[in-house]
Amino acid sequence: MRPGVPVRPLTYSDKDLRKPCPTELSGTRLVIRVPATSANVGVGFDVMGLALDLVATFTFHLSDELCIYGSLPEFCSTNNLVWQSYLTACNMLDVSPRTLAIGIDSPLPMSGGLGSSSTCVVAGVVAAQLLSGRPFDRQLALNIATAIEGHPDNVAPAVYGGLTSSFVEAGTTYAAVLPVGENLRFVALAPPYEVRTEEARKALPAEVPLQTAVWQMGRCVAMSDALARGDAGLISKACHDKLHEPHRMLLIPDYDLLRTTSLQAGACAFVISGSGSTMLAITDGDERAQEVLMAANSAMPQLWTRILCGLPQGTTVCID
């Protein structure tokens, strides 16, 4: 925490999470909306990412003391990722941080896999730009967010929207942005437990055979094209990962059940979203998506489920 920034301790119970911050919130309000994302999309490990139409909203007010509200109590502290990302971005932009009241309204599941950390990072970075008097520069925001996250697969679609393929070269993050077929639906299935990213990373082998690298490269390009055109048949053929999912599926106890259930109900592909535990069943159209959703809920009633679409726009800002 920056010296001199006072903090009001918060002790909200769950039923109090949507109450306004006790600090007086008058004056200009900055509203930043950041979409959920799914990284990897099967064969695009640490490269591909997809923006989804599930959006987290962050509000920023200037305040006389730091106040974070709307999140779970354990996240309403100086360790909050939005606040920490804001401070880091201010440091990278060489500007002095302001004392803020930060409101968080996020519909993303806590089990992980839909880019909840990336929404917080991007919101903090964009707030640092705008509250320092700068315009919203997506490229700069992506560079800073990537530096904070360590990789761009989630933050690139969060900033730009659509389907992205990204890489870092000499401190700059480059993202190719494609549309997502309007016919495609992504049935999100989040079990009531999480897979920690660190554990998911540890599950991966340090080296892969040459044949696996060739397998992945061909299917990654085909998968990008298929998602952009909404070609469910090609998605079904291209979406067979050999690099990370065979290792990470072992960390998700219900993976086999939900994969089998989803494919039998008509999904054209089934992938681990990010490092899990959320999974995505990809379908062609609303009717098939509903069938997959019903089958998954029947097989595992305690699931958090949503039918999602690709989102063409990324982060949006509003000042009122």
Side-chain angles (χ1 to χ4, degrees):
M1 180 182 65
R2 184 172 64 90
V5 176
V7 177
R8 181 189 296 275
L10 298 181
T11 57
Y12 292 153
S13 64
D14 285 349
K15 63 184 177 61
D16 293 322
L17 291 181
R18 298 305 174 202
K19 287 186 177 180
C21 177
T23 304
E24 180 66 28
L25 298 182
S26 60
T28 301
R29 181 177 72 148
L30 171 63
V31 181
I32 300 174
R33 295 182 174 88
V34 188
T37 53
S38 180
N40 304 323
V41 202
V43 292
F45 175 66
D46 269 9
V47 172
M48 289 173 60
L50 175 71
L52 299 166
D53 65 341
L54 185 69
V55 178
T57 301
F58 302 86
T59 59
F60 298 83
H61 285 86
L62 298 182
S63 176
D64 58 358
E65 57 188 346
L66 176 63
C67 174
I68 299 167
Y69 62 100
S71 186
L72 292 172
E74 57 264 37
F75 300 129
C76 293
S77 71
T78 56
N79 292 324
N80 181 275
L81 187 54
V82 181
W83 172 246
Q84 288 296 322
S85 300
Y86 169 76
L87 292 180
T88 301
C90 285
N91 183 60
M92 295 178 71
L93 293 169
D94 195 26
V95 298
S96 297
R98 315 286 291 275
T99 311
L100 300 174
I102 303 172
I104 301 172
D105 184 2
S106 176
L108 279 64
M110 298 301 295
S111 55
L114 287 179
S116 57
S117 65
S118 294
T119 64
C120 294
V121 169
V122 170
V125 169
V126 174
Q129 285 187 337
L130 296 173
L131 293 174
S132 65
R134 296 168 179 254
F136 177 22
D137 182 330
R138 291 184 191 271
Q139 181 61 59
L140 180 59
L142 178 58
N143 290 341
I144 297 174
T146 299
I148 294 172
E149 276 279 86
H151 45 87
D153 53 354
N154 275 117
V155 293
V159 170
Y160 281 107
L163 173 69
T164 61
S165 178
S166 50
F167 65 93
V168 180
E169 176 68 28
T172 298
T173 301
Y174 297 90
V177 184
L178 296 172
V180 178
E182 294 183 359
N183 59 305
L184 296 178
R185 299 295 178 266
F186 303 88
V187 185
L189 310 174
Y193 51 81
E194 66 176 329
V195 173
R196 295 189 177 276
T197 302
E198 314 88 77
E199 296 304 314
R201 289 276 173 184
K202 290 178 183 177
L204 301 179
E207 297 180 354
V208 297
L210 177 61
Q211 300 95 309
T212 300
V214 174
W215 172 282
Q216 293 289 129
M217 286 189 292
R219 284 162 178 77
C220 186
V221 174
M223 186 68 172
S224 298
D225 178 66
L227 287 167
R229 293 189 294 107
D231 187 337
L234 183 55
I235 290 172
S236 179
K237 292 178 174 63
C239 196
H240 295 284
D241 172 80
K242 288 188 176 182
L243 188 60
H244 69 107
E245 289 197 346
H247 309 284
R248 289 177 164 178
M249 62 182 280
L250 303 177
L251 303 177
I252 305 174
D254 302 291
Y255 174 88
D256 285 332
L257 169 65
L258 293 172
R259 182 179 187 277
T260 299
T261 298
S262 297
L263 294 177
Q264 288 180 345
C268 64
F270 187 87
V271 300
I272 298 172
S273 186
S275 59
S277 62
T278 299
M279 294 152 277
L280 292 183
I282 305 175
T283 72
D284 186 357
D286 291 314
E287 183 177 348
R288 194 59 56 84
Q290 286 289 349
E291 292 171 356
V292 170
L293 183 75
M294 292 174 61
N297 281 328
S298 178
M300 189 177 173
Q302 64 269 45
L303 280 174
W304 178 97
T305 57
R306 292 289 189 281
I307 296 175
L308 304 172
C309 303
L311 189 68
Q313 69 265 30
T315 297
T316 61
V317 300
C318 175
I319 300 176
D320 60 21

